[in-house]
Amino acid sequence: MSVAFGCVDVAGFELVGYTSGLSAGLAKALADLDDADLMAAAHAGWAAVPAQRVHEGASVLEHHMTTSEGVAIIDVRLPVGLVPLRHAGDRPEVVGLRLAAVRVGLARKLLDQAMGALTDGRPPLHHVLRLGVLTDVLAALTALRGLLEEAVLRPSRAAVVDVHHRLTRLDWQVAKLFGLRGNLADHPVRALFVAELVANTWVGT
């Protein structure tokens, strides 16, 4: 489904991230950008796109976790001497804000999973402590969502980068709730880290 360029429906993009995942959220965030827009707006010549949007012959950066999430990072650098046909305009900021909302949805989904892992009834002490941490992370996510809604009203590169920096720090807190160590490639929390890579290609966080 296409969206009007410049539109940042925080609740809508958040919902897609929560219900359908990163690839679907990325597809919605880029729905109104054509290939020329991608080349103009992507940061440092790399663009994260849904896997189904990769054209035959495209140069793709191999990355196991992105592939597992249905995302590809493609090389959109132009040959030396050529310049993009279009100016980036505010496309990086708009895409960055949309992706931030998608990342909020992903974090919410993982928080719900962490909450569901708590035992019923009167839990052991470590569950009580974990519930306290989860509550703190949820409060931080709610505050960050408010910051995102403010950034949508007054979009700027600095505001977009700041929101993504905060999301990355918060994602680490979410991951800790699962007690993960080492390789995250086989756990749903990998979506949070792939989302950070995706954001890097669009806003250079």
Side-chain angles (χ1 to χ4, degrees), residues 11-172:
F13 285 100
E14 179 182 350
L15 180 63
V16 173
Y18 182 90
T19 59
S20 302
L22 176 59
S23 182
L26 180 58
K28 183 177 175 65
L30 302 179
D32 48 4
L33 276 70
D34 61 21
D35 291 347
D37 290 327
L38 294 184
M39 287 190 288
H43 178 74
W46 297 92
V49 299
Q52 65 269 23
R53 188 163 176 173
V54 177
H55 298 303
E56 184 177 355
S59 178
V60 179
L61 180 66
E62 295 296 330
H63 194 289
H64 173 65
M65 287 175 64
T66 58
T67 301
S68 298
E69 287 298 318
V71 171
I73 299 177
I74 59 174
D75 187 350
V76 294
R77 292 174 295 181
L78 292 172
V80 175
L82 295 182
V83 295
L85 295 176
R86 298 178 192 170
H87 188 273
D90 63 352
R91 291 178 182 84
E93 289 76 21
V94 172
V95 173
L97 291 168
R98 293 171 176 177
L99 288 175
V102 172
R103 292 182 71 181
V104 169
L106 293 172
R108 277 187 50 217
K109 184 174 184 178
L110 269 297
L111 282 174
D112 283 356
Q113 291 181 14
M115 180 71 79
L118 294 176
T119 57
D120 294 329
R122 186 172 183 177
L125 177 60
H126 72 279
H127 283 303
V128 173
L129 296 174
R130 186 161 168 257
L131 179 60
V133 173
L134 196 153
T135 301
D136 290 343
V137 173
L138 181 59
L141 181 63
T142 301
L144 199 153
R145 189 184 189 280
L147 189 66
L148 173 58
E149 290 177 330
E150 290 180 9
V152 168
L153 297 176
R154 293 179 295 277
S156 69
R157 174 171 171 75
V160 174
V161 170
D162 181 55
V163 167
H164 279 283
H165 272 310
R166 292 170 185 263
L167 275 165
T168 295
R169 290 196 296 268
L170 186 62
D171 284 347
W172 276 106

